[in-house]
Amino acid sequence: MIDFWFDFGSPYAYLAGEQIDALAAAHGRTVRWRPFLLFAVLRELELPAPMAHPARRDYLLLDIERSARVLGLPYRQPTRFPVITPLPARLFFTLAQTDAAAAARFAREALRAAFAQDQPLDDTRFVGELAARHGGGEASALLAAAEAEPARAALRQSVADAVAQRVFGSPFTVCDGEPFFGADRLPQLAARLSSAERP
Amino acid sequence: MIDFWFDFGSPYAYLAGEQIDALAAAHGRTVRWRPFLLFAVLRELELPAPMAHPARRDYLLLDIERSARVLGLPYRQPTRFPVITPLPARLFFTLAQTDAAAAARFAREALRAAFAQDQPLDDTRFVGELAARHGGGEASALLAAAEAEPARAALRQSVADAVAQRVFGSPFTVCDGEPFFGADRLPQLAARLSSAERP
């Protein structure tokens, strides 16, 4: 099992999200997309946010653009940043109740919208329509479900699971129990998957 | 100019230190090795130490061993960790007063001793002899010089420069003004050096 923990507001999750499914598929594996709220987990673990400090923030903004360029992925720094992410996370869990693959498609497209097209993930209408396009159904019904208790409970549980597993960053990929923090660790994950296939 | 900022107690500096000179030389560039004291810079910048938090510490110890394995470099977690590093840093500046290349050789060997051979960099006799071997001269004279004011002033200045340039981690490589934080950014530095050569 490959768990792909991510926050919808994480630029590095976008960079990894563009690669993780193909990487897993190349080794006959599947990915479980697991959205959580990074700020909530960091608060619980008593860790600072990655961009809280100006020196780190300035560096990370530079590093994100450079990393996207090296990977050949389009990137646009969102106008509204940080991105507010409980709504897309709850829409994800709403879709996942009936179709995990649709939820993963929605997640991938939402990250792309946020970080390649500067679309606002905190805009109810925009994310509602995005969810409807990938999950089927009416945007209004999905948005209503995303406000209801089951979706809220699913997100709370996800945050609690992330805290318990000490998922202290985004993206955070766990493959057969081994943690890989950051988009920059996907090559090491690939090496791990390759060596696991050898007899 | 390529500035290679490092702390003698940084495992990732060891991993990068094994590669940085060859990488630079492949592009006709030279490296200025710049030891500093990470804890002092982080304190000044009001940032936590990378291993201060148990969740991050456990992950980093795993990641360091995995990164060394992927790079094909020997690694042994030091028995005494964290490593106390003012002494090797002051020995470096003592050697650098007369021979920058000897100081860089000493630095590379000291990192290798600490992280591939579990040798104690806080042991006066061990680092004194290592410095003598790479810089020439008597260990006792080098150790005496490392305790004297010029070496202390050089280290203080280095820490002040690191703070001013917001060198918030180790290793931290600055190439023509562009910062690359971490051993894992050397491939991006290589890409930068390659593209700089194109007409």
Side-chain angles (χ1 to χ4, degrees):
Chain A
M1 171 60 76
I2 298 175
D3 273 343
F4 180 66
W5 291 96
F6 69 101
D7 185 296
F8 276 96
S10 162
Y12 292 107
Y14 156 66
L15 299 182
E18 294 288 296
Q19 308 170 66
I20 188 70
D21 289 311
L23 170 56
H27 298 277
R29 306 286 292 258
T30 53
V31 176
R32 179 163 60 160
W33 286 61
R34 303 198 68 177
F36 70 113
L37 301 178
L38 182 60
F39 85 92
V41 170
L42 294 178
R43 191 176 51 194
E44 196 70 30
L45 294 176
E46 299 183 355
L47 277 165
M51 295 207 185
H53 192 286
R56 287 188 59 91
R57 179 190 162 90
D58 289 352
Y59 175 78
L60 289 174
L61 292 175
L62 177 157
D63 184 66
I64 290 158
E65 294 207 18
R66 183 173 61 202
S67 297
R69 205 165 56 238
V70 168
L71 291 166
L73 294 171
Y75 182 80
R76 283 176 65 185
Q77 178 60 24
T79 308
R80 295 220 287 271
F81 192 78
V83 180
I84 311 296
T85 61
L87 175 58
R90 283 188 266 113
L91 276 168
F92 175 97
F93 288 113
T94 300
L95 295 176
Q97 281 161 17
T98 52
D99 187 345
R105 277 200 306 278
F106 163 72
R108 206 164 40 236
E109 289 299 328
L111 288 168
R112 202 173 282 165
F115 296 106
Q117 296 148 15
D118 194 14
Q119 297 288 342
L121 295 196
D122 58 353
D123 183 291
T124 304
R125 184 160 158 183
F126 175 75
V127 283
E129 286 173 3
L130 194 67
R133 189 148 67 246
H134 292 284
E138 292 288 323
S140 57
L142 291 169
L143 285 165
E147 294 300 325
E149 182 52 24
R152 292 180 183 276
L155 181 53
R156 276 198 305 272
Q157 185 62 50
S158 186
V159 168
D161 290 349
V163 169
Q165 294 183 43
R166 309 205 296 183
V167 174
F168 58 76
S170 167
F172 199 98
T173 309
V174 182
C175 176
D176 304 332
E178 184 175 344
F180 297 82
F181 168 45
D184 54 14
R185 286 301 180 272
L186 292 190
Q188 294 195 1
L189 171 61
R192 167 79 152 79
L193 290 169
S194 294
S195 73
E197 285 162 8
R198 282 188 218 117
Chain B
M1 172 59 76
I2 298 175
D3 273 343
F4 180 66
W5 292 95
F6 69 101
D7 185 295
F8 276 95
S10 161
Y12 292 108
Y14 156 66
L15 299 182
E18 294 288 296
Q19 308 170 66
I20 187 72
D21 290 312
L23 170 56
H27 298 277
R29 305 288 291 261
T30 53
V31 177
R32 178 164 59 161
W33 287 61
R34 303 197 69 176
F36 70 113
L37 302 178
L38 181 60
F39 86 92
V41 171
L42 294 178
R43 191 177 51 194
E44 197 70 30
L45 294 176
E46 300 183 353
L47 277 164
M51 296 207 184
H53 192 285
R56 288 187 59 92
R57 179 189 162 90
D58 289 351
Y59 175 79
L60 290 174
L61 291 176
L62 177 156
D63 184 67
I64 289 158
E65 294 207 17
R66 183 173 61 201
S67 297
R69 204 164 56 237
V70 168
L71 290 166
L73 294 170
Y75 183 79
R76 281 177 65 185
Q77 178 60 24
T79 307
R80 296 219 289 271
F81 192 79
V83 180
I84 312 297
T85 62
L87 176 59
R90 282 187 268 113
L91 276 167
F92 175 96
F93 288 114
T94 300
L95 295 176
Q97 280 161 18
T98 53
D99 187 345
R105 278 199 306 277
F106 163 72
R108 207 165 39 236
E109 289 299 327
L111 288 168
R112 202 173 283 165
F115 296 106
Q117 295 147 17
D118 195 15
Q119 297 289 341
L121 295 197
D122 58 354
D123 183 291
T124 305
R125 186 163 158 179
F126 175 75
V127 283
E129 286 173 2
L130 193 68
R133 190 149 65 246
H134 292 284
E138 292 289 323
S140 56
L142 291 169
L143 285 165
E147 295 300 324
E149 181 51 25
R152 291 180 183 276
L155 181 53
R156 276 198 305 273
Q157 186 61 51
S158 187
V159 168
D161 290 349
V163 169
Q165 294 182 44
R166 308 205 296 182
V167 174
F168 58 76
S170 169
F172 199 98
T173 310
V174 182
C175 177
D176 305 332
E178 185 175 344
F180 296 83
F181 168 45
D184 54 13
R185 287 300 180 271
L186 292 190
Q188 294 194 1
L189 172 60
R192 168 78 154 77
L193 290 169
S194 294
S195 73
E197 284 162 8
R198 281 187 218 115

